[in-house]
Amino acid sequence: MTSLHFHLRPVALASALAMQALAAVAQTAPAAAEQGGTLATVTVEASADASAGGLTKPFAGGQVARGGRVGILGTQDNMATPFSITTYTNQLIQNQQAQSVADVLLNDPSVRTARGFGNFQELYVIRGFPVYSDDVAYNGLYGMLPRQYIASEFFERVEVFRGANTFLNGAAPFGSGLGGALNLLPKRATSEPLTQVSAGVQTGGEGFIAADIARRFGPDDSTGIRLNAVRRDGGTGIDNEKRDLSAFSLGFDWRSRNVRVSADVGYQDHTLTEGRPSVTPSSTLPIPRVPDAQSNFAQPWTYSSERDKFGTVRAEVDITDSVMAWAAGGVRRSTEDNVLANPTVTNVFGDTTGTRFSNTREDKVSTAEIGVRGKFNTGSVGHTVVASATTFDNDRYNAYAISAASLRNNIYFPFPSPYPIANGPGAFVGNLLSNPGLTDKINTSSLALADTMSFYDDRVLLTLGARRQTIEQTTFAYNTGLQTSDYDESKTTPVAGIVFKATPEVSIYGNYIEGLVKGNVAPTVANNLPVVNGGQAFAPSQTKQTEVGVKYESGGLGASAAYFDTKQPNFFIVNQVYGPNGEQRNRGLEFMLYGEPVKGLRLLGGLTLLDAEQVDTVGGLTDGKDVIGIPNQQFNFGAEWDVPGVPGFALNARLIYTSKQYANATNTQEVPSWNRFDVGARYLVDLGNSRLLTLRARIDNLFNKSYWASVGGTQGSNYLMMGAPRTFIVSGTIDF
């Protein structure tokens, strides 16, 4: 308890100030009623975005919702949007005991989780393209969430958008998201009071305790507050690996007849000690045999630590019955401190070399958005017109130190090495670790305009629009602080989408949409050596995507199928020089299945078939070869079954399969396919006096399979990440 008190002390003041602000808002509500008449009766649900409609309703079975946010087009029904989206609900998050975004995305066949370059950042690969965790949106705003790991207590739902999306969301500021986007919806107070306490433990000894408390008050329950806090501490299923997490969030919302406001403050302190690192294979040898699932070849002095504070606000105003305006903004302040030692395999016996890589980083992020949406008719044609303007600023401060001494180890028989000096002769140092210097400034802004036209009693919906995006980036040299590169470029990204509702149960759709991100910045280190042009910023990257698909929802069953084709420039390192090397073309088919086709049986999963090939490579040497780290098949399927005759008791199971991947551009290094089987159970117990106890148990990787789960993540990289070992998780939740 002492540790919990210590870690949450910085947010105690923030929560006290927030409570005072909320009280002030509540006191002004009667005055607003006196000026404008009695407040309209509002049916309050878990509206995450201060919108009039609130969250989309859950689909049959409650694991996914009927729709989600489609960027500036707003929240849309799945059957009425010309894009592929899936929204995972809090019911699924809780029942599967998900601890992070990656845990939720284990249900999605179009997504695989990898790792950032040389660190422990969660990285999500959608349709073969990365989405960095710092490009995950929070209530529609980029850059607000912790950069390396996002605790599940921060979000009500996880929205997965598949495909290019620059028109809809603006360019992802940290350089990813060309194949999809993730948006997390914060928690809001519901109409009924909520007091929920959870506790649990998992393999390795990690325990947790969490609280979720919500109340509504004021005239017509117009004001809401929701508090979430969690503390996790202890070992994981991997030998000697330990996690320390303290997280806290406070969400507010207030409504009148024509105004809706919501706000969030959050804090996270996350440290991973002796985390199992990624492994770089030798360029001249086959892929090494994977070690035992629970083994750990990390050095005992390695760690990754990050502390984040953020706040957001969003408001909507109904100007007339058919015109609504909105505004949103947010800030984040983050600090990171890492000491890493990522091994490179040197022979078939598993011997490795490496260096100590220390890094400190600070981020200052601010963002804002304004927009207006209106509806009108021209004859028999309905129009929903939307206009939006956004701005984003990030100042990044960085420092690093690479030891000169080479670390020896073995991935099959690991042993500790002495802590090497990182600033001695032959070491590489950039800025001061104790005082990181400014290395990057990113500024983006955009203007967007779109019109969704409806024909034939809304059976045909046509969306046309464009976004003018400006990206400015300036980089500064380590040690000297001198400017090394600078660009300021603007591009227009259009969109065209159409939906044809063939029947109430079937929608056919198609779209053309483009993606745009800031230019890649050459990494400072690769293969344990400095990159010759480290820090160089390249021009923005653009993709073009076409997609067609069909969606079906009837009764308790939903399904979809889609074909997509996307192309983007390919960047990677050749002879320690980073730069563009041809293009990457991803084509594929996606199939999704979800719902509750029969009472008591819930299904969720699908299949993705990917053809990701290299084109226009230098000299045509690898044209037609598979892109590093992208499998041809991804399959996920889960089922949950209410056991007949035992009220409140349910069993669940999930199968995940990923086909082989390649770890080099010539496709001579093959990483085997893998599959994993998870099982679980939950049981509801009525304790009386309006108290309900939910017991949950889960075993991930039931057969304790050892496998290389991913290859790379950042473009052109080939580091290997191991899958987690068999992990048993048990928890209990009491609703008072």
Side-chain angles (χ1 to χ4, degrees):
M1 293 302 292
T2 301
S3 178
L4 177 63
H5 175 75
F6 174 79
H7 284 279
L8 293 183
R9 186 184 301 163
V11 296
L13 178 59
S15 62
L17 294 174
M19 288 290 289
Q20 291 178 7
L22 183 62
V25 171
Q27 290 171 5
T28 62
E34 291 174 5
Q35 294 175 6
T38 304
L39 289 173
T41 300
V42 178
T43 301
V44 179
E45 298 185 8
S47 176
D49 56 0
S51 66
L55 295 176
T56 54
K57 302 293 185 183
F59 190 71
Q63 296 182 314
V64 300
R66 291 186 174 274
R69 184 196 298 272
V70 187
I72 64 169
L73 301 181
T75 299
Q76 296 191 348
D77 184 270
N78 180 49
M79 301 294 284
T81 183
F83 305 102
S84 176
I85 59 173
T86 300
T87 299
Y88 297 99
T89 65
N90 190 254
Q91 176 179 316
L92 175 133
I93 294 168
Q94 286 193 318
N95 286 341
Q96 294 188 357
Q97 303 180 83
Q99 298 179 10
S100 70
V101 177
D103 292 340
V104 179
L105 297 179
L106 289 169
N107 299 282
D108 199 298
S110 66
V111 184
R112 287 296 181 264
T113 300
R115 183 175 287 172
F117 188 85
N119 56 34
F120 293 96
Q121 178 185 22
E122 284 192 351
L123 182 151
Y124 320 102
V125 183
I126 306 178
R127 290 184 172 178
F129 296 102
V131 176
Y132 306 146
S133 55
D134 41 12
D135 275 336
V136 173
Y138 186 62
N139 206 6
L141 297 174
Y142 282 128
M144 293 295 98
L145 292 164
R147 199 180 76 87
Q148 295 204 28
Y149 180 90
I150 307 169
S152 61
E153 284 74 18
F154 284 128
F155 49 86
E156 175 77 20
R157 290 183 175 180
V158 176
E159 296 180 331
V160 179
F161 181 97
R162 301 176 186 86
N165 55 89
T166 296
F167 163 74
L168 299 168
N169 301 309
F174 294 98
S176 67
L178 294 175
L182 298 173
N183 182 49
L184 309 184
L185 297 182
K187 296 179 178 180
R188 293 285 175 259
T190 55
S191 55
E192 296 297 326
L194 174 68
T195 304
Q196 194 175 85
V197 177
S198 301
V201 67
Q202 71 171 49
T203 300
E206 179 182 298
F208 85 94
I209 184 168
D212 188 355
I213 302 170
R215 293 291 187 274
R216 301 206 70 85
F217 50 93
D220 296 312
D221 285 342
S222 59
T223 303
I225 181 172
R226 188 160 179 177
L227 165 70
N228 275 266
V230 61
R231 170 72 175 155
R232 298 183 183 274
D233 194 4
T236 72
I238 299 171
D239 294 342
N240 301 319
E241 183 179 272
K242 296 181 179 180
R243 185 183 305 278
D244 186 322
L245 170 75
S246 296
F248 167 93
S249 68
L250 200 60
F252 307 92
D253 67 279
W254 176 79
R255 298 169 174 238
S256 70
R257 289 176 304 175
N258 61 345
V259 177
R260 296 163 295 279
V261 180
S262 66
D264 298 274
V265 293
Y267 170 85
Q268 179 176 288
D269 188 350
H270 177 247
T271 299
L272 186 65
T273 304
E274 207 168 335
R276 183 167 64 191
S278 302
V279 176
T280 300
S282 166
S283 60
T284 59
L285 296 173
I287 295 299
R289 172 179 55 85
V290 65
D292 290 339
Q294 68 273 14
S295 67
N296 191 358
F297 33 83
Q299 292 296 333
W301 35 262
T302 57
Y303 65 88
S304 176
S305 180
E306 181 183 20
R307 182 174 294 178
D308 298 86
K309 295 169 284 187
F310 63 90
T312 68
V313 63
R314 180 173 289 272
E316 284 187 357
V317 179
D318 297 328
I319 300 173
T320 69
D321 291 341
S322 57
V323 178
M324 181 272 294
W326 79 87
V331 296
R332 172 170 66 91
R333 298 292 182 264
S334 300
T335 59
E336 295 181 35
D337 179 14
N338 306 287
V339 175
L340 309 170
N342 296 299
T344 297
V345 175
T346 59
N347 58 40
V348 295
F349 304 107
D351 290 330
T352 66
T353 60
T355 58
R356 169 194 161 191
F357 177 73
S358 297
N359 165 254
T360 56
R361 170 171 168 160
E362 297 177 5
D363 278 277
K364 298 179 180 179
V365 179
S366 60
T367 185
E369 176 189 24
I370 58 173
V372 61
R373 183 179 299 115
K375 296 183 178 182
F376 61 92
N377 293 327
T378 56
S380 61
V381 179
H383 297 264
T384 301
V385 176
V386 60
S388 170
T390 67
T391 181
F392 178 93
D393 295 284
N394 172 221
D395 290 350
R396 184 185 306 168
Y397 301 78
N398 220 321
Y400 71 89
I402 307 171
S403 66
S406 179
L407 298 170
R408 304 292 178 178
N409 206 338
N410 187 286
I411 60 174
Y412 307 121
F413 305 100
F415 56 88
S417 296
Y419 187 70
I421 298 174
N423 59 357
F428 301 100
V429 178
N431 296 332
L432 296 175
L433 292 174
S434 59
N435 185 27
L438 180 64
T439 56
D440 292 270
K441 291 179 69 71
I442 301 170
N443 309 100
T444 71
S445 59
S446 67
L447 295 171
L449 179 66
D451 183 8
T452 297
M453 293 163 278
S454 60
F455 307 87
Y456 307 113
D457 296 326
D458 292 339
R459 291 189 62 188
V460 177
L461 302 173
L462 175 64
T463 299
L464 300 174
R467 182 184 292 269
R468 183 65 173 175
Q469 181 85 49
T470 299
I471 302 178
E472 302 175 55
Q473 183 170 11
T474 306
T475 61
F476 303 88
Y478 287 87
N479 300 318
T480 67
L482 297 176
Q483 182 176 314
T484 56
S485 62
D486 179 41
Y487 68 75
D488 181 349
E489 295 196 22
S490 299
K491 291 184 180 293
T492 299
T493 53
V495 66
I498 189 168
V499 177
F500 170 52
K501 298 180 182 179
T503 71
E505 297 81 19
V506 177
S507 289
I508 301 170
Y509 74 93
N511 67 64
Y512 172 84
I513 190 169
E514 297 183 0
L516 178 71
V517 293
K518 76 176 184 66
N520 290 18
V521 176
T524 55
V525 180
N527 305 315
N528 295 316
L529 295 171
V531 175
V532 174
N533 61 334
Q536 179 183 350
F538 292 85
S541 297
Q542 196 165 6
T543 64
K544 298 180 179 180
Q545 174 195 288
T546 54
E547 178 180 353
V548 293
V550 60
K551 303 175 184 180
Y552 171 85
E553 287 186 358
S554 179
L557 184 65
S560 65
Y563 168 80
F564 60 89
D565 189 329
T566 309
K567 183 184 289 187
Q568 75 153 6
N570 212 1
F571 284 77
F572 54 88
I573 292 172
V574 177
N575 298 324
Q576 292 303 116
V577 177
Y578 182 84
N581 289 278
E583 291 187 322
Q584 171 181 339
R585 183 178 184 180
N586 291 14
R587 292 174 290 187
L589 290 168
E590 289 173 339
F591 304 93
M592 290 287 295
L593 183 71
Y594 52 92
E596 190 173 17
V598 296
K599 186 66 174 177
L601 177 64
R602 291 167 287 280
L603 305 177
L604 179 61
L607 170 68
T608 296
L609 304 175
L610 268 172
D611 177 18
E613 65 177 21
Q614 304 169 62
V615 296
D616 299 329
T617 59
V618 177
L621 296 178
T622 56
D623 283 359
K625 299 290 187 180
D626 284 1
V627 175
I628 292 173
I630 302 180
N632 294 133
Q633 298 97 30
Q634 299 175 175
F635 177 76
N636 300 54
F637 191 76
E640 186 176 63
W641 177 53
D642 295 335
V643 179
V646 188
F649 184 53
L651 300 173
N652 62 77
R654 178 176 60 202
L655 174 65
I656 305 172
Y657 168 80
T658 301
S659 67
K660 67 181 181 182
Q661 307 166 64
Y662 291 107
N664 61 356
T666 56
N667 291 182
T668 58
Q669 291 183 307
E670 181 179 309
V671 176
S673 64
W674 60 270
N675 61 75
R676 161 182 153 178
F677 191 62
D678 307 330
V679 296
R682 61 185 172 89
Y683 184 54
L684 275 66
V685 182
D686 188 350
L687 301 178
N689 296 322
S690 300
R691 292 180 299 169
L692 184 67
L693 170 65
T694 305
L695 300 173
R696 299 181 178 94
R698 186 170 192 84
I699 305 176
D700 289 337
N701 193 6
L702 177 65
F703 301 111
N704 201 32
K705 289 198 171 185
S706 302
Y707 58 94
W708 297 118
S710 67
V711 181
T714 57
Q715 198 177 55
S717 300
N718 68 338
Y719 49 87
L720 309 174
M721 183 182 78
M722 281 185 64
R726 178 169 52 220
T727 304
F728 180 69
I729 308 169
V730 61
S731 67
T733 299
I734 299 180
D735 288 89
F736 294 95

